Amino acid sequence: FSGLPGESLNVPYNAADIYGSTSAEGFGLTIAEAIAAGVPAVAMDYSAVTEVVGDAGILVPYKDLIDNEYDHSWAAVDEAAFADAVIRLARKPAMRRELGSRGPRRVAQMFSWDTAAVQFANLGTPQSVEVAA
């Protein structure tokens, strides 16, 4: 949806029943946009995608890790598990509504500027560590 003005961005998400992503993005902005609009996501349980989706969708396993020249691994989704998750959501409208209802709250709580500011302010703050005797 790149290139859409901000006020139009919500239109395609609101027209969707399910948002699917097989990528292993560094953050997953499009996934966050979709779940913020109340669309449940089906995505790969890898990288930051896991944190973004949380309880607002279905996470499916990756099948393969692919080494690359950038010294980190790319992941390939388990296609059968991904298809099963999409089919399950397509056949269960109540499940879609339930997962979709969690997205706006999740994004507001987890990814607000206020939350980011608190997390940023706490960077470098020593954390107490309990040591077992």
Side-chain angles (χ1 to χ4, degrees):
F1 303 130
S2 67
L4 283 178
E7 63 275 3
S8 299
L9 185 58
N10 212 25
V11 173
Y13 289 125
N14 282 311
D17 289 322
I18 301 167
Y19 183 85
S21 174
T22 59
S23 75
E25 301 180 42
F27 171 69
L29 180 58
T30 58
I31 300 168
E33 290 171 340
I35 66 173
V39 180
V42 175
M44 187 167 39
D45 191 1
Y46 186 77
S47 74
V49 170
T50 303
E51 180 184 0
V52 174
V53 173
D55 65 350
I58 298 174
L59 293 165
V60 297
Y62 60 88
K63 185 176 181 179
D64 296 308
L65 290 178
I66 304 154
D67 195 22
N68 64 63
E69 64 187 78
Y70 303 107
D71 204 26
H72 67 278
S73 295
W74 288 328
V77 72
D78 180 327
E79 291 137 356
F82 188 85
D84 288 344
V86 170
I87 291 167
R88 186 168 10 132
L89 275 181
R91 291 181 175 163
K92 297 184 175 187
M95 185 180 193
R96 285 197 313 270
R97 285 190 298 277
E98 172 61 29
L99 294 175
S101 72
R102 298 175 186 172
R105 183 175 54 252
R106 178 171 185 76
V107 170
Q109 289 174 347
M110 298 283 299
F111 306 114
S112 72
W113 285 114
D114 290 340
T115 300
V118 169
Q119 291 171 340
F120 185 78
N122 289 331
L123 288 176
T125 302
Q127 303 294 318
S128 63
V129 177
E130 292 185 32
V131 179

